[in-house]
Amino acid sequence: MLRRAVEAVVPLSLRGMIARRLLALPPRVQRRLAGEPIRIDGQELALEAQLVLRISGRERPSMPLEQSRRRMRAIAVIAGGRRIEPVAARDLAIENAAGPIPARLYRPAGLAAPSPLLVYYHGGGWVEGDLESHDNLCRFLALHAGTAVLAVDYRLAPEHPFPAGLNDALAALRYAAAHAEELGVDPRRIAVGGDSAGGNLAAVVAGLAAADEVPPSFLLMIYPGTDAVEVAASRTLFGSGGFLLTEERIQWFLDQYLPDHGDRRDPRASPLREPRPERLPPTYLVTAGFDPLRDEGEAFAALLAAAGVPVALHRFPDLYHGFASSVGLGRRPREAMLQVAGALRAGLAFGRRPGPPQPSPS
């Protein structure tokens, strides 16, 4: 009832303000508005998260592609809250054979050069998302992890299906390493990271770049998709329960990015099938309890651990897919992302010295 009332009379641009007002209410009032606690798989959804989902609508309606992209950007800007400062940002274009790749470099105030760098790939199912949708998330990580961040606006499907976006992602990392002095960063302390589809790209890029002269020193994965073939149990548990990301939506994203079903078994699309996981750098991988992608993300962490890669896995059992972009909505997403930023800061503290190039897999 609350969600229908809000959607009926309040434009999207005002819902964020309403959500923030409601999240400032005493917990007992929030509970009355949110309804009975949601408990699934031995987990309880955070009260703030439940209230936000109830206000915003727990499932995204179907709509034309461009409208859906605009909606995602608008929601991300609202959920991200006020622009995070003091962080300087400048746009640049990365030279690439397929055409220049738009990017944005963030540096928190007072960060001395040469600094560590996170090359960041946004989420959005390889179909949505851009520099604006993830602007505040990148600012948050830059400020709280004490690092420069290079956000990459890789090409999107369906206009540019696999592997176009991946090729852009890899080109951006190689650009950062080659232009480290110009960017004011230490080439031995360059990490790759991303959320959702961006986490997928980060993992693949880390593997492909392992044979480079300066491979990435750290990998940050926030609720990543890692398997485009098998349907894990968490997709059954949460894919139809209305927690923003649905199974129908996942399949639609895969159809846009990987229209050739034969590509879905390619480790460059499904890093859970990576034949040489030992190549990857130390990793911090985050999942959300109420996320359809939870289990495949955790399976990837297990794959790395079995291969001897230093990996730290943390599940936020009371949150849902997309919380990283919601630091402006409530205390709980911000707390979670502060923990992520702390892990990134620690991971970038020690660089990875160049070693001899590794042979490419046959």
Side-chain angles (χ1 to χ4, degrees):
M1 182 69 71
L2 175 63
R3 177 177 63 81
R4 292 195 191 98
V6 170
E7 289 184 342
V9 300
V10 181
L12 182 62
S13 60
L14 295 180
R15 291 182 204 167
M17 181 180 68
I18 292 173
R20 281 188 284 274
R21 294 285 180 87
L22 294 178
L23 290 170
L25 295 172
R28 65 180 183 280
V29 178
Q30 291 183 24
R31 173 54 65 199
R32 286 201 296 268
L33 293 171
E36 291 297 316
I38 295 175
R39 298 186 179 95
I40 301 175
D41 200 26
Q43 308 166 131
E44 181 174 324
L45 187 65
L47 174 57
E48 289 183 338
Q50 186 177 343
L51 187 58
V52 168
L53 288 176
R54 190 162 189 187
I55 295 167
S56 62
R58 290 167 58 188
E59 293 189 7
R60 293 182 57 177
S62 298
M63 59 183 65
L65 177 58
E66 286 306 319
Q67 183 181 352
S68 181
R69 285 172 173 168
R70 289 194 299 270
R71 186 176 189 272
M72 179 195 176
R73 187 183 305 117
I75 290 174
V77 170
I78 292 168
R82 295 179 179 177
R83 176 176 290 184
I84 294 171
E85 301 287 4
V87 180
R90 66 179 177 93
D91 291 346
L92 53 88
I94 296 171
E95 296 178 4
N96 188 37
I101 305 167
R104 183 172 294 163
L105 180 66
Y106 299 86
R107 292 191 72 89
L111 182 67
S115 70
L117 173 72
L118 170 65
V119 180
Y120 195 83
Y121 311 117
H122 65 77
W126 309 279
V127 175
E128 301 174 340
D130 56 22
L131 297 179
E132 300 307 322
S133 67
H134 284 62
D135 180 73
N136 234 24
L137 173 53
C138 289
R139 288 173 176 273
F140 186 98
L141 290 172
L143 183 64
H144 293 287
T147 182
V149 175
L150 182 66
V152 183
D153 198 8
Y154 56 89
R155 286 173 290 171
L156 298 177
E159 298 92 336
H160 305 284
F162 172 85
L166 171 60
N167 291 340
D168 289 355
L170 181 59
L173 172 61
R174 288 174 170 164
Y175 169 90
H179 294 80
E181 183 175 0
E182 174 188 336
L183 298 173
V185 303
D186 180 351
R188 292 178 298 181
R189 290 189 293 158
I190 297 179
V192 289
D195 61 290
S196 195
N200 170 285
L201 293 175
V204 177
V205 164
L208 294 174
D212 287 358
E213 182 179 352
V214 185
S217 64
F218 191 70
L219 171 59
L220 173 67
M221 302 174 70
I222 303 174
Y223 40 72
T226 66
D227 191 352
V229 181
E230 302 295 334
V231 176
S234 59
R235 281 174 57 176
T236 301
L237 280 172
F238 306 110
S240 61
F243 300 99
L244 294 185
L245 182 62
T246 65
E247 178 64 21
E248 179 181 5
R249 191 77 172 160
I250 292 170
Q251 290 296 339
W252 184 80
F253 283 139
L254 291 173
D255 288 343
Q256 310 312 303
Y257 182 56
L258 298 158
D260 182 346
H261 283 225
D263 287 335
R264 300 187 182 190
R265 294 185 178 274
D266 189 324
R268 297 175 302 158
S270 295
L272 189 57
R273 298 169 185 274
E274 167 62 57
R276 297 179 60 206
E278 70 277 2
R279 302 185 301 172
L280 272 70
T283 299
Y284 182 69
L285 194 153
V286 171
T287 62
F290 289 78
D291 182 0
L293 302 185
R294 183 193 69 189
D295 289 358
E296 61 192 80
E298 295 180 1
F300 188 73
L303 176 72
L304 296 185
V309 175
V311 56
L313 168 67
H314 185 84
R315 179 196 293 186
F316 292 101
D318 57 346
L319 289 174
Y320 54 86
H321 191 90
F323 72 80
S325 296
S326 301
V327 294
L329 288 180
R331 170 186 53 82
R332 189 67 188 105
R334 183 178 177 83
E335 286 178 346
M337 287 308 297
L338 283 171
Q339 182 168 327
V340 172
L344 176 60
R345 180 187 289 268
L348 284 169
F350 304 99
R352 182 170 178 173
R353 293 190 175 276
Q358 301 179 35
S360 300
S362 58

